[in-house]
Amino acid sequence: MAEKIVLFKQEYLVGFLNEDLLGLSAMIMNSYYNNNFMAEDDDHIRKEDVRIEFNAQIQRIASSLEKEWFDAFGTEIELCWNTSSTEDPNTAFWSVVHGKNESTNLHTHESEENYAEGAHVSAAYYVQVPPRSGDLVFQYKQNPYITEQTTIKAEPNKFVMFDSTISHFVTKNHTNDKRIVISMNFKIKETKEK
């Protein structure tokens, strides 16, 4: 009898948290209207990323996501504070606010320089998602010739967690309202030798 063997498998996690979205939205939009972005250059990919406070609610969301990942995969993760040569805390957590016709280009959250100590698991947590304001799309190769896409519908209080190496983008916001998401990067916790 032939044996079925899986050579490669990519999984992601989807669920819901119950958070005060109005409070989160107010905190994020205050930072957004104060132009507290992660890059000043309009052409830089981090220009759309909004710096947010590491307040009790953000800490609770991070802890909840760490638990969800552990429960699903049995791997401990923690916020990844060092994803670049800087010690910028907002490399571990930030927000993205999209206005009308805005979207996010195809990207990943890892890099060759930082993968050993950098982001292994990334997350999106949806704060404000008007209908038709943009969904998350994973893009991946079945083989060198076939590229596939999977779309995850964005909904308030929903989270998506995935391997940081998965290419993804966000579709266009077709509304006049703001779309608000919190992004986080986690790394796999090092186990201490006994």
Side-chain angles (χ1 to χ4, degrees):
M1 177 181 269
E3 179 182 2
K4 179 181 176 182
I5 298 170
V6 176
L7 183 62
F8 180 80
K9 179 170 69 168
Q10 193 66 268
E11 299 173 300
Y12 60 93
L13 188 62
V14 178
F16 289 86
L17 301 178
N18 187 19
E19 287 291 332
D20 169 22
L21 297 182
L22 290 177
L24 274 174
S25 178
M27 181 267 288
I28 292 165
M29 292 310 294
N30 181 53
S31 190
Y32 175 83
Y33 287 123
N34 283 315
N35 294 313
N36 196 5
F37 300 104
M38 292 190 62
E40 293 180 20
D41 180 1
D42 286 341
D43 294 327
H44 195 283
I45 192 169
R46 300 301 311 251
K47 176 62 177 185
E48 71 177 15
D49 298 340
V50 180
R51 294 181 184 282
I52 56 175
E53 303 167 30
F54 193 52
N55 62 20
Q57 192 172 20
I58 297 298
Q59 292 174 42
R60 186 171 57 248
I61 291 169
S63 294
S64 295
L65 293 176
E66 289 167 2
K67 182 181 182 322
E68 293 282 352
W69 188 264
F70 181 79
D71 290 348
F73 300 110
T75 306
E76 286 189 78
I77 59 173
E78 62 188 349
L79 277 175
C80 182
W81 299 99
N82 294 319
T83 60
S84 67
S85 59
T86 66
E87 296 292 322
D88 188 341
N90 286 126
T91 57
F93 62 94
W94 65 96
S95 182
V96 178
V97 178
H98 281 162
K100 186 169 186 172
N101 294 323
E102 291 183 325
S103 61
T104 298
N105 294 336
L106 185 69
H107 68 286
T108 62
H109 287 216
E110 97 304 338
S111 76
E112 187 177 331
E113 298 83 41
N114 73 20
Y115 189 73
E117 297 177 8
H120 301 123
V121 176
S122 296
Y125 178 66
Y126 299 102
V127 177
Q128 181 174 298
V129 191
R132 300 185 64 240
S133 65
D135 293 317
L136 177 65
V137 181
F138 291 136
Q139 184 171 295
Y140 56 96
K141 288 190 170 287
Q142 287 288 353
N143 62 47
Y145 309 103
I146 300 173
T147 299
E148 303 265 347
Q149 292 185 346
T150 297
T151 301
I152 297 96
K153 182 171 176 47
E155 302 173 68
N157 270 319
K158 187 177 196 175
F159 69 83
V160 183
M161 301 182 75
F162 53 94
D163 187 300
S164 299
T165 64
I166 297 178
S167 296
H168 57 284
F169 63 93
V170 177
T171 58
K172 191 183 289 188
N173 180 356
H174 292 285
T175 75
N176 292 317
D177 298 318
K178 300 286 193 232
R179 175 189 185 277
I180 304 172
V181 63
I182 293 171
S183 296
M184 292 186 173
N185 281 330
F186 299 88
K187 65 180 180 178
I188 296 170
K189 253 188 188 176
E190 292 182 26
T191 53
K192 295 185 178 156
E193 306 257 343
K194 292 184 179 181

